[in-house]
Amino acid sequence: MKPRIAIPVPTSNNPEYNTRSWAQYAEAVNRAGGDPVQIPLDSSPRATADLINTCQGVLLPGSPADVNPHKYGHEPIPECNPADPARENVDELLIQDAHNLYKPLLTICFGTQSLNVWRGGTLVQDLAPVPVNHSAGRTVAVAHSVAVPPESTLGGMLSREEAPDQRGFLRLPINSSHHQAIGIPGDGLRVVGRSTEDGVVEAVEGGQDQQNPGAHFVLGVQWHPERTYEISPASRAIFARLISEATSWAPRAIRTSVVQES
């Protein structure tokens, strides 16, 4: 059977964005061999938990919203977009489930920021437009490059043809559609991707069990591999790894963690 991948509806207030965006994530999961499962934002916590329990992996997608800055101890600035509490609540349920049960977790753009805040990290509320336009948008296939350590989990997914080795780092060309980024990485998250031009954090990974390194697959990227699935081997490799991890996932002892307050 195909592994079921939980993907929340991106927003609670933008049906057009949801229809267009969610379909791209679902298509990438489908093509990689998984079964995408839509997680509504308007169900009860119990109904949401019951649906999540049927899934073997989690994908947190992008969103036009921004994570509530009060959750990482900052006051909102004018450039910060309104928060989406319903999306944040569902993200927290999904991250908690993935953390407790070691389910593979892939986060993209807003999803990566959501993960970082849940782990106790902070965000840069608005990126300067130069030297890199990180808000290039969904029509730009390559906005800039990311430097990735070859020994990282992400680095192991990349081909040297697409991401050549330069000065000890793999240089991966990516798209870009975000105006925020990780400031201080959250607990247990390792930075494994930075913009080659301005050093903005573009990828993190973590979730490793100290007694069993590599036991938990957690990867967060700021770019949108679902949009370049057709043209980028790296994008296909990211989704293939999520599905591979979900296929081999099996329930194990629950580890405890403090649930973040909404």
Side-chain angles (χ1 to χ4, degrees):
M1 294 178 62
K2 293 182 177 181
R4 288 165 58 84
I5 307 299
I7 311 174
V9 174
T11 80
S12 65
N13 51 28
N14 192 331
E16 186 279 330
Y17 181 94
N18 292 339
T19 299
R20 169 176 51 81
S21 177
W22 195 89
Q24 289 184 302
Y25 298 103
E27 175 66 13
V29 166
N30 262 318
R31 294 184 65 177
D35 181 14
V37 177
Q38 188 172 98
I39 308 297
L41 305 185
D42 55 0
S43 298
S44 69
R46 176 58 183 271
T48 301
D50 288 344
L51 184 55
I52 293 171
N53 285 340
T54 71
C55 298
Q56 292 77 48
V58 175
L59 190 163
L60 299 185
S63 169
D66 287 332
V67 177
N68 183 355
H70 290 133
K71 290 190 171 181
Y72 48 94
H74 292 190
E75 289 296 321
I77 64 174
E79 294 81 5
C80 187
N81 293 329
D84 188 343
R87 169 64 197 274
E88 291 183 22
N89 290 342
V90 170
D91 273 16
E92 289 167 6
L93 288 172
L94 286 160
I95 297 170
Q96 185 75 68
D97 179 74
H99 174 86
N100 286 351
L101 300 175
Y102 297 85
K103 289 182 182 178
L105 174 63
L106 171 64
T107 65
I108 293 173
C109 201
F110 174 92
T112 296
Q113 296 158 11
S114 186
L115 168 66
N116 193 63
V117 172
W118 188 88
R119 289 285 192 95
T122 67
L123 302 178
V124 178
Q125 289 192 51
D126 193 57
L127 296 169
V130 291
V132 176
N133 180 12
H134 290 280
S135 300
R138 65 178 182 270
T139 61
V140 178
V142 176
H144 62 88
S145 293
V146 170
V148 180
E151 74 278 5
S152 64
T153 298
L154 176 60
M157 302 180 201
L158 306 180
S159 71
R160 299 308 184 263
E161 290 75 22
E162 185 179 17
D165 193 328
Q166 297 180 19
R167 298 180 181 179
F169 289 89
L170 306 179
R171 303 300 177 97
L172 176 68
I174 61 166
N175 57 30
S176 192
S177 185
H178 61 104
H179 84 109
Q180 295 194 335
I182 289 174
I184 299 173
D187 183 41
L189 293 177
R190 173 195 177 195
V191 175
V192 294
R194 289 186 181 272
S195 166
T196 56
E197 296 180 54
D198 60 9
V200 166
V201 175
E202 294 282 351
V204 291
E205 60 189 41
Q208 295 180 337
D209 186 329
Q210 292 183 350
Q211 270 70 49
N212 188 8
H216 188 194
F217 174 79
V218 177
L219 174 64
V221 298
Q222 276 292 164
W223 65 93
H224 286 267
E226 81 283 358
R227 297 177 184 172
T228 52
Y229 190 95
E230 195 69 48
I231 64 173
S232 168
S235 296
R236 295 192 292 274
I238 287 171
F239 283 97
R241 180 62 180 271
L242 172 66
I243 301 309
S244 173
E245 294 283 345
T247 299
S248 60
W249 176 82
R252 65 186 77 178
I254 294 177
R255 58 180 170 185
T256 59
S257 175
V258 176
V259 179
Q260 301 293 304
E261 294 184 359
S262 301

